[in-house]
Amino acid sequence: MALDKPYKDVPGTIIFDADQSRKGYWLNQFCTSLMKAENRARFKANERAYLDEWPMTEEQKLAVMARDLNWCMRTGGNIYFLARIGATDGLSFQQMAGSMTGMTEAEYRDMMIKGGRSAEGNRYLGEDGDAQPHRQPQGAAGQKNKQEGA
């Protein structure tokens, strides 16, 4: 019997629960390997070859190579493990978080200084807040990517 997961209705949120943990086990183990300098060097030298050493899904490998942290999270990645990918690339956690919203680092920082996103309109899918899927990606970086893809 499947567990009721009312938190799946929170827009812009992926809860790292037991199902996500099982799905992302090898992805998160790969990320943990990046704690060692020699593994970071091997990964940067040939990302695909290093990823192929891990029993991850093809989708997880593609998400890592795309540096799409939202995609990584949908495939079971935990943000605290995924942060090691950003660190390997020389990014701060703030830069990574901004990339996940489509905001520039400055836009993301300014939003957080002002208290973050409002909960109004963002409590459940189908409302009209700024975290709703139809309002993504946000920010100048997200809009630029949207225009380039169009």
Side-chain angles (χ1 to χ4, degrees):
M1 180 174 140
L3 294 174
D4 182 33
K5 296 183 179 185
Y7 52 79
K8 286 195 160 243
D9 195 31
V10 179
T13 303
I14 297 171
I15 304 295
F16 189 74
D17 61 9
D19 290 335
Q20 285 291 100
S21 177
R22 282 187 291 277
K23 184 164 60 169
Y25 179 80
W26 289 113
L27 170 57
N28 293 316
Q29 291 298 301
F30 150 74
C31 291
T32 299
S33 78
L34 298 176
M35 292 175 66
K36 293 185 178 180
E38 61 268 20
N39 291 338
R40 290 190 300 272
R42 288 179 56 225
F43 175 63
K44 293 299 279 183
N46 189 333
E47 292 185 7
R48 183 65 204 213
Y50 189 73
L51 288 169
D52 283 342
E53 294 177 21
W54 296 88
M56 297 162 46
T57 67
E58 182 63 19
E59 183 179 11
Q60 289 170 328
K61 293 173 186 180
L62 292 172
V64 169
M65 290 187 296
R67 298 304 196 271
D68 186 328
L69 299 177
N70 290 318
W71 188 8
C72 287
M73 288 177 64
R74 287 191 304 272
T75 65
N78 178 294
I79 190 59
Y80 297 106
F81 290 99
L82 296 171
R84 294 177 179 119
I85 299 171
T88 297
D89 290 338
L91 300 176
S92 69
F93 198 83
Q94 182 172 287
Q95 289 170 308
M96 293 172 53
S99 78
M100 295 171 71
T101 63
M103 295 180 190
T104 64
E105 180 183 6
E107 288 172 325
Y108 181 79
R109 181 197 60 233
D110 292 346
M111 176 191 70
M112 295 307 290
I113 288 171
K114 292 175 186 168
R117 287 186 175 141
S118 169
E120 294 304 315
N122 291 316
R123 289 187 176 90
Y124 304 100
L125 288 172
E127 294 183 312
D128 202 32
D130 58 4
Q132 296 289 330
H134 68 280
R135 298 213 184 265
Q136 298 304 315
Q138 298 177 322
Q143 296 308 315
K144 180 180 178 212
N145 290 341
K146 208 186 253 186
Q147 290 169 356
E148 288 172 358

